[in-house]
Amino acid sequence: MSFSPCPPDALTGNSIQHQRDRWERKRKVVGRELVLTEQHYCQQLELVTTYFVEILKAKGTLRQDIRESIFSSIKAIHSVNQSLLVHLENGDFGRGFDQFCPQLHHYNVFVDNFYDARKVLVIQLKKNKAFRRFKKLQEARPEFNSQKLEDLLHLPIERIEQYKRLLQVMAANTSPDDPEFQQLSRAVTAVELLHQRIQKNTRRHENHLQLCRVQKLLKGRKTKVLAAERWYIREGWLKVVPSKGSDVKSKMFFLFSDMLLQAKRCSSLHPTSSDKFIGQQAYPLHQCAVEKVFGHTKSKGGLLSLTFPRAKLLLMSSNQEDLNDWYQRLCSALRKLEPKPAFAHQRGESIQEPFSSAAENLNSLSNSSRNPNGKRNMYMQASTGPGELAERPAAEWEGSAPKRMKQAVSEQSTESSSSNCVIL
């Protein structure tokens, strides 16, 4: 019995060929799934365009602006995907997606309008009896298979997620030497950008819902929570430790990206607002410093110290994990509010310039005060606005320039240290 091992080159060639075969099998599986799902997707888009968009346009049940708000660019999406389906059924994946990606702006329009479209649809279903009846009759057709219009309008969003997953697998199992590799890679990049846009819009919508929820929890219209670029972070009960010896009180705190809102619960005897809160104080976070007093230990609970320009909060919790989460969320919010180093440098320079110019002006005032020709009054009227320094008594300007300089610095520091805490 003889044993003749295969040459190393033959083993290497077999392993490479084996890997290529695996790629090809995965590529065929993904390609088959892509074609089948695209066929089903186009059929469902056709239901919306045929039985809703076109018939509603012919019947005039909805005004044109309302109809466009609800269905947005779904008709254009259906046309684009029909062209893509022809390429996919012919096995030309790279070329099909290469022609499909420049048309993704129709999806951008649909994605940006999606949440407003759902809101308009809900309003029309409540107010428009004819449209409500029409929608019910169309959804009862056997072609819809018990699907609702709301589900069908969500299909383009779901399809982008499927494209992202399937294209990534197909590109990963395509040889770099294949002409389709570059086309599929470009498609993966374009679809990922659209997917990020969808996620961003989803986060903004969810944040808006949270802000609206908190606004409804607060009694009255004095406390304004809804604001542009404000993000909801978390909420919860914390005990406020007073600076003097009095009882510790539990307060509800709402943490946002730019402020910390303190509130108290309404009286349980209130007939309509027993489950609501009254806003007490809003602390801006842009000048806040947070520190753990003893929350870093393994003892039960801990204490957080929050320092503001003219206020200080000591917040206590008996739950160690909850306190740590508050600390981490506060630190994260403060880091995002920190100015860039370049901006801080420019700000520091801009603050120093007025002091130097003020010293020069005061020296000029001191020198001019010795001039018997009355030039001091002329300088004062020229360098200041009307009704400011010129109207002050002469006694206020007597004395040395350094003394006046100290007064100007102390006044400016007092103004800059004014509190931004809002008493609600």
Side-chain angles (χ1 to χ4, degrees):
M1 179 175 163
S2 62
F3 176 75
S4 57
C6 296
D9 294 341
L11 291 175
T12 303
N14 291 336
S15 61
I16 293 176
Q17 186 61 38
H18 180 67
Q19 181 65 37
R20 288 177 177 174
D21 293 340
R22 288 180 57 192
W23 287 350
E24 188 62 27
R25 287 195 298 269
K26 287 184 179 180
R27 180 184 167 87
K28 288 181 178 180
V29 171
V30 174
R32 189 182 303 111
E33 181 181 356
L34 194 54
V35 171
L36 293 176
T37 53
E38 187 69 20
Q39 290 173 346
H40 184 63
Y41 175 57
C42 287
Q43 291 173 1
Q44 292 178 313
L45 289 180
E46 188 174 1
L47 293 177
V48 179
T49 56
T50 302
Y51 293 102
F52 278 97
V53 179
E54 297 295 340
I55 297 180
L56 282 173
K57 182 179 180 181
K59 289 173 65 67
T61 307
L62 295 176
R63 295 201 318 261
Q64 181 179 354
D65 58 336
I66 296 177
R67 191 175 66 250
E68 292 176 353
S69 298
I70 295 176
F71 299 100
S72 189
S73 58
I74 197 166
K75 187 175 179 180
I77 289 175
H78 179 222
S79 177
V80 169
N81 280 88
Q82 281 183 319
S83 301
L84 174 63
L85 179 60
V86 174
H87 290 284
L88 298 183
E89 289 176 340
N90 294 331
D92 200 353
F93 298 98
R95 187 177 181 181
F97 278 102
D98 211 33
Q99 296 180 4
F100 171 74
C101 288
Q103 306 298 323
L104 285 178
H105 61 273
H106 296 300
Y107 277 88
N108 290 337
V109 173
F110 186 86
V111 166
D112 293 340
N113 189 62
F114 177 69
Y115 293 105
D116 290 336
R118 291 204 309 185
K119 186 185 300 184
V120 174
L121 177 60
V122 171
I123 293 174
Q124 290 301 312
L125 289 175
K126 289 181 178 180
K127 295 183 176 180
N128 195 329
K129 184 178 180 180
F131 175 65
R132 184 167 62 248
R133 183 185 303 172
F134 172 82
K135 175 178 177 291
K136 187 176 181 180
L137 290 174
Q138 298 300 85
E139 291 173 346
R141 290 175 176 270
E143 295 90 343
F144 281 82
N145 196 19
S146 301
Q147 286 183 304
K148 301 296 182 181
L149 177 61
E150 293 84 351
D151 300 330
L152 294 173
L153 289 177
H154 196 262
L155 289 177
I157 308 294
E158 296 176 351
R159 190 57 178 164
I160 295 300
E161 176 68 31
Q162 294 174 349
Y163 283 150
K164 178 177 177 291
R165 175 179 60 85
L166 295 174
L167 284 174
Q168 285 177 345
V169 177
M170 179 165 283
N173 290 278
T174 301
S175 174
D177 300 330
D178 195 315
E180 284 192 334
F181 179 77
Q182 295 296 332
Q183 296 172 330
L184 292 174
S185 299
R186 288 194 297 267
V188 168
T189 303
V191 171
E192 284 182 347
L193 289 176
L194 180 56
H195 184 259
Q196 292 174 6
R197 188 176 189 139
I198 293 173
Q199 290 182 322
K200 181 179 179 180
N201 289 346
T202 302
R203 288 193 299 268
R204 286 187 175 276
H205 176 69
E206 292 175 351
N207 178 70
H208 179 73
L209 293 180
Q210 289 282 21
L211 294 179
C212 293
R213 180 186 62 83
V214 175
Q215 188 68 70
K216 290 180 180 180
L217 282 176
L218 299 174
K219 181 184 176 182
R221 300 180 180 180
K222 190 174 181 179
T223 307
K224 301 295 183 181
V225 171
L226 291 171
E229 301 302 326
R230 173 173 289 167
W231 290 84
Y232 169 86
I233 299 178
R234 68 156 297 171
E235 63 189 65
W237 290 94
L238 290 171
K239 296 179 180 179
V240 179
V241 181
S243 57
K244 297 182 179 180
S246 57
D247 295 337
V248 177
K249 296 181 179 180
S250 295
K251 301 290 183 179
M252 172 62 76
F253 285 90
F254 299 92
L255 178 60
F256 303 96
S257 57
D258 60 338
M259 76 169 181
L260 179 67
L261 177 63
Q262 176 182 324
K264 67 176 182 179
R265 187 180 290 278
C266 295
S267 173
S268 58
L269 301 178
H270 198 282
T272 59
S273 302
S274 59
D275 57 340
K276 293 188 176 182
F277 296 88
I278 300 175
Q280 291 182 301
Q281 290 181 347
Y283 299 94
L285 295 182
H286 66 278
Q287 292 182 343
C288 174
V290 60
E291 180 184 3
K292 277 186 181 181
V293 178
F294 55 89
H296 59 281
T297 63
K298 295 182 179 180
S299 60
K300 186 177 180 180
L303 194 69
L304 291 180
S305 173
L306 277 70
T307 305
F308 301 93
R310 295 292 295 275
K312 187 172 183 179
L313 274 178
L314 289 177
L315 304 178
M316 185 174 66
S317 175
S318 57
N319 189 325
Q320 185 71 41
E321 294 182 0
D322 186 58
L323 188 81
N324 290 336
D325 186 69
W326 272 105
Y327 177 73
Q328 293 173 3
R329 299 290 186 96
L330 281 165
C331 291
S332 177
L334 293 176
R335 282 194 299 268
K336 293 179 180 179
L337 290 174
E338 288 180 357
K340 296 181 180 179
F343 175 77
H345 181 65
Q346 294 174 2
R347 184 179 179 183
E349 292 179 351
S350 64
I351 291 175
Q352 292 176 3
E353 289 179 0
F355 285 104
S356 60
S357 61
E360 294 174 1
N361 294 338
L362 289 171
N363 290 331
S364 301
L365 286 172
S366 179
N367 295 331
S368 64
S369 65
R370 302 186 184 92
N371 191 349
N373 296 329
K375 293 183 179 180
R376 179 173 65 87
N377 293 334
M378 294 175 60
Y379 177 81
M380 288 165 59
Q381 293 176 0
S383 62
T384 61
E388 292 181 3
L389 300 180
E391 296 180 359
R392 296 184 183 182
E396 294 182 9
W397 290 95
E398 294 179 356
S400 61
K403 183 177 180 181
R404 291 194 298 271
M405 182 62 189
K406 291 180 181 179
Q407 293 176 355
V409 173
S410 63
E411 290 177 0
Q412 188 164 357
S413 63
T414 303
E415 293 178 358
S416 62
S417 63
S418 61
S419 174
N420 292 328
C421 174
V422 180
I423 306 299
L424 300 174

